[in-house]
Amino acid sequence: SSSHPLLHQLILSGLSSGLAVLLTNPLDVLKCRLQLASASPHPASPSALQPPATIAGTTRAILAEKGVRGFWAGIEPALLRAGSYSALRLGLYQPIRDFLESAGPRPGPGASGEQPRIPAGNKNNTPAGVGGKMAAGAMSGAVAAVFGSPLELVKVRMQAPCAASRGVWATGVHTVANEGFA
């Protein structure tokens, strides 16, 4: 229904990002494993003593360690992060932009005497300036990052070769307890 357009934007943004995560998580697991293998001089798990240097070698190692399910390691926080980050970033953009436009100065006629072009659907009858759009994008992105970044960290921790079998919440609590909040 058109009575809740913001809610619809938030839901559709979250769902579309979640679908993308489901399709790309295996590649993200490979990327994470390759990055950790190249950055770790002291491997933490026996299977990582001689880290594979190739995508094919890493794929074989994941299959040997955890089977096909290993490619969806960290899927829970990845879905939570993608859904919340995208829903907030995309869903909050327009309301923030509209708020900034309604709070800004009203445009006067241009040098030629004609009124500025008002985009269709703009309830406030103010032009959508580039600066307002950039500020709205930065603000919605900042709000989304505050909520999404901790989930990204938990996801990477759960994708690591030496990751303990913990859930999302337990991994987050364990990380904060051992490394702090900052």
Side-chain angles (χ1 to χ4, degrees):
S1 102
S2 62
S3 62
H4 302 291
L6 176 59
L7 181 61
H8 291 160
Q9 287 176 325
L10 293 172
I11 291 170
L12 290 175
S13 298
L15 288 175
S16 63
S17 295
L19 178 60
V21 165
L22 284 172
L23 297 174
T24 61
N25 201 71
L27 295 174
D28 199 36
V29 170
L30 283 170
K31 176 195 75 161
C32 179
R33 290 286 194 98
L34 287 166
Q35 288 173 334
L36 290 172
S38 67
S40 176
H42 304 291
S45 71
S47 62
L49 288 176
Q50 297 175 357
T54 65
I55 292 174
T58 304
T59 301
R60 284 191 296 275
I62 292 170
L63 287 170
E65 290 172 20
K66 300 188 180 190
V68 174
R69 293 184 80 197
F71 288 102
W72 276 271
I75 192 66
E76 298 91 352
L79 286 169
L80 288 170
R81 184 226 175 256
S84 63
Y85 181 80
S86 295
L88 290 170
R89 184 174 49 90
L90 298 174
L92 292 177
Y93 169 78
Q94 186 173 353
I96 291 173
R97 185 199 67 200
D98 291 348
F99 171 78
L100 292 174
E101 287 178 346
S102 68
R106 301 284 183 233
S112 65
E114 36 180 88
Q115 291 293 325
R117 184 184 152 302
I118 307 298
N122 186 328
K123 297 178 216 154
N124 303 317
N125 290 330
T126 59
V130 173
K133 289 178 180 179
M134 289 174 60
M139 288 179 197
S140 63
V143 169
V146 165
F147 289 98
S149 293
L151 289 166
E152 181 72 18
L153 175 64
V154 169
K155 176 192 74 146
V156 170
R157 295 297 165 88
M158 291 176 75
Q159 289 177 342
C162 58
S165 295
R166 295 184 187 106
V168 175
W169 181 255
T171 301
V173 168
H174 177 77
T175 301
V176 170
N178 290 313
E179 300 176 30
F181 191 72

